[in-house]
Amino acid sequence: MIAALAAESLRGLRANRLRTALTMLGIIIGVAAVIVMLAVGQGAQSMVSSAIASMGSNLLVILSGASTSGGTRMGFGTIPTLTGADAEAIGELPSVAAAAPTVIEAAQMVSGPNNWSASVTGTTPEFLTIRAWQLAEGVPFTEVDVRSASRVALLGLTAATNLFGPASPVGKTIRIKNVPFTVIGLLAPKGQSLDGRDQDDTAVIPLTTAQRKLFGNRFPGTVRFIIAQAKSEDAMVRAEREINELLRQRHRIREGQEDDFTVRNLTALAETAAASTRIMSIMLGSIASVSLLVGGIGIMNIMLVSVTERTREIGIRVAVGARRRDILWQFLLEALFISLAGSLIGVGLGIGVTHALAAALGMPTVITPWSIGLSFAVAAAVGIFFGFYPARKAADLNPIEALRYQ
Amino acid sequence: MDDLIRLVGVTKAYPVGDAPPVPVLHGVDLRIAAGDFVAIMGASGSGKSTLMNILGCLDTPSSGDYVLEGRNIAELDVDELAAVRLRLLGFVFQSFNLLPRIDVLDNVALPLLYAGVPRRERHRRAEQLLGRVGLQGYGARRPNQLSGGQQQRVAIARALINQPRLLLADEPTGNLDSETSVDVMRLFGTLNTEDGITLIIVTHEADIAAYARRRIRFRDGRIVEDTATEPLA
Ligand SMILES: Nc1ncnc2c1ncn2[C@@H]1O[C@H](COP(=O)(O)OP(=O)(O)OP(=O)(O)O)[C@@H](O)[C@H]1O
Ligand SMILES: [Mg+2]
């Protein structure tokens, strides 16, 4: 019976192709918009969350220089006030698991005919532990390498590929600022950081080597920043306080005097970033849902017109023995077909547009099965919801009045 | 013989704007036996179509009882009324009332859709009935591609497809020339005598009424004359 009524509905839709197509267009656009917006939102979210995951957990960063100095805002780290000894002392604090002093500068690297400019990080072995950075190949440098300022380097994947192509860089020699280094390890890829930098476009070398052999010596023994890891998430606040107290004491800062360093909770910053992309993605989704809703109202509009226009047809059907539910189903199925066909096409269009966006603008996008399922379900619900009122109106028509309708 | 139809004091009044309802039928009492062939005559506006709509379960009386096959129609809900129209009644409208957007075959088969008959069987029976009303081979046409008389016969075929016990026809020859009218009335004659279908037709023409066995004259919503006659062959 339902199958026969479905056939009647399809016949009704076919009899008025243009109108059917236009009604469907509302749903098509709505569903496509939802798919695209969700894909963009999801893409941003997954980019942020993988950046956060690549950062390491429970991170604090201690920057040289105060956030304000004598009323004038200074760039962080412009005056290096931190030292390797500060880092060692921080590493010994009860709430801190490890700390690594770090200098970073861009430098030219050369291997044979290839040359490549990337950031060079000088640090201690703890750095890799704190950042949870694995080696894909080779071995990390050690305390001994730091003490003896040996010329060894760990290469990130991007830098390695640009210097050596697909071949393994381990055991090869590169020149950084004309100083020869032996590559002893290849770092596992980490992808983009929160601020969009390629974290694999780097070389990591011992701190002392960087300080003494690469980056001049304007402020001997100092570092731009120290990165530290708290023992646990709960220890973050305590670690921050301990570091503050320790550094004020070590730097002999008197009561009332301003800090010459700044401690930042990277994990909290990352969470803020994650929360704001989540909000952005919800907003994108909501905006798109509105167009789906408008599509639904379009269905109701057209169905109401259609019911009025077909009043006589309905009267005839009822007069020959159609029950209320037969009429109800016929019109409800028409609305449902429109919204289901519309959402099928919309899903296709949405996937197409998403791929086009990703290809043309390089936007990170993620299409998940649930976003397709969701927009499909919402479209079907919209069809039923907005189709029900016109269908009921049709089913409630009095046959005599309907037959008299001109 | 058993009464197929019994009307007791049936009235119908239509509301017109804010004014009190205008009475159209004033207490109609009527019994019609199964197998009868009744012609209803009367001036325009006398309430014939109103009565037919009530008999056809398309409308309900304002007061009084309508008992069809022993069941009081006033006690049925809309879906039960629909079931009565589907199983028991065939209705031929004065203005045909065919669906313009579907072909003739589907128009004839329409009631069977609501009876839950499979498509193939629907079409087989519709084809058969088209043959019976002399429209073999017209199934694929749209109603508006047929003449008035042909459309009338399509409407009759549709009214017959669910094998009704009672066929109601409101001015079935109103739009037809005299020759086609004779064809239609002959068809009604055989439906009555050979298929045993009870027939009630409304007509303005005495020579059409002559095909019936019983003639009822209507004036201002009342029966003023009721005579048995020898039907024309
Ligand atoms: N829906 C309605 N609302 C108001 N008045 C109505 C309605 N239907 C019929 N009437 C009135 O009821 C009266 C009877 O109408 P009806 O259609 O039964 O007449 P009839 O005998 O069939 O006439 P005709 O021979 O012209 O078809 C008329 O005066 C008409 O105006
Ligand atoms: Mg009439």
Side-chain angles (χ1 to χ4, degrees), chain A residues 8-9 11-17 19-20 23 297-315 317 327 330-335 338 386-387 389-391 393-395 397 405, chain B residues 101:
Chain A
E8 287 297 294
S9 304
R11 183 149 56 184
L13 294 175
R14 238 177 305 142
N16 218 325
R17 277 164 226 258
R19 170 190 289 179
T20 303
T23 314
I297 293 171
I299 288 190
M300 176 147 84
N301 220 328
I302 299 296
M303 293 297 297
L304 280 174
V305 170
S306 166
V307 166
T308 308
E309 220 181 61
R310 288 155 70 188
T311 297
R312 221 179 146 76
E313 171 193 331
I314 296 162
R317 289 176 184 275
I327 301 296
Q330 184 187 336
F331 282 86
L332 202 52
L333 285 170
E334 281 191 18
I338 287 177
F386 289 106
Y389 175 67
K393 216 180 137 183
L397 280 177
Y405 186 85
Chain B
R101 293 188 308 181

Side-chain angles (χ1 to χ4, degrees), chain A residues 1 4-5 8 11-12 15-16 310 312-313 316-327 330 398-400 403-404, chain B residues 14 53 58-59 78-79 82-83 85-86 91 93 95 97-99 101-102 106 110-111 113-116 119 122 158 162:
Chain A
M1 192 68 208
L5 291 174
E8 287 297 294
R11 183 149 56 184
N16 218 325
R310 288 155 70 188
R312 221 179 146 76
E313 171 193 331
I316 292 169
R317 289 176 184 275
V318 172
V320 303
R323 288 156 300 183
R324 280 192 76 232
R325 62 171 172 278
D326 296 329
I327 301 296
Q330 184 187 336
N398 173 312
I400 287 295
L403 286 174
R404 217 185 287 276
Chain B
Y14 287 112
N53 288 339
L58 293 166
D59 211 348
V78 281
D79 282 346
R85 291 196 294 271
L86 184 62
F91 206 114
F93 297 92
S95 49
N97 278 336
L98 301 173
L99 293 181
R101 293 188 308 181
I102 63 177
D106 279 324
L110 187 66
L113 171 78
Y114 298 110
R119 186 181 156 83
R122 292 206 298 266
R158 184 181 66 191
N162 53 351

Side-chain angles (χ1 to χ4, degrees), chain A residues 42 52 63 70 73 75 93 104 151-152 160 207 215 217 228 235 254 259 276-277 307 384:
Chain A
Q42 282 282 308
I52 289 172
L63 298 151
R73 230 185 139 74
L93 287 169
I104 291 187
R151 297 191 306 267
V152 293
L207 174 70
F215 301 144
N217 227 352
R254 281 192 309 274
D259 291 345
S276 63
T277 41
V307 166
I384 293 171

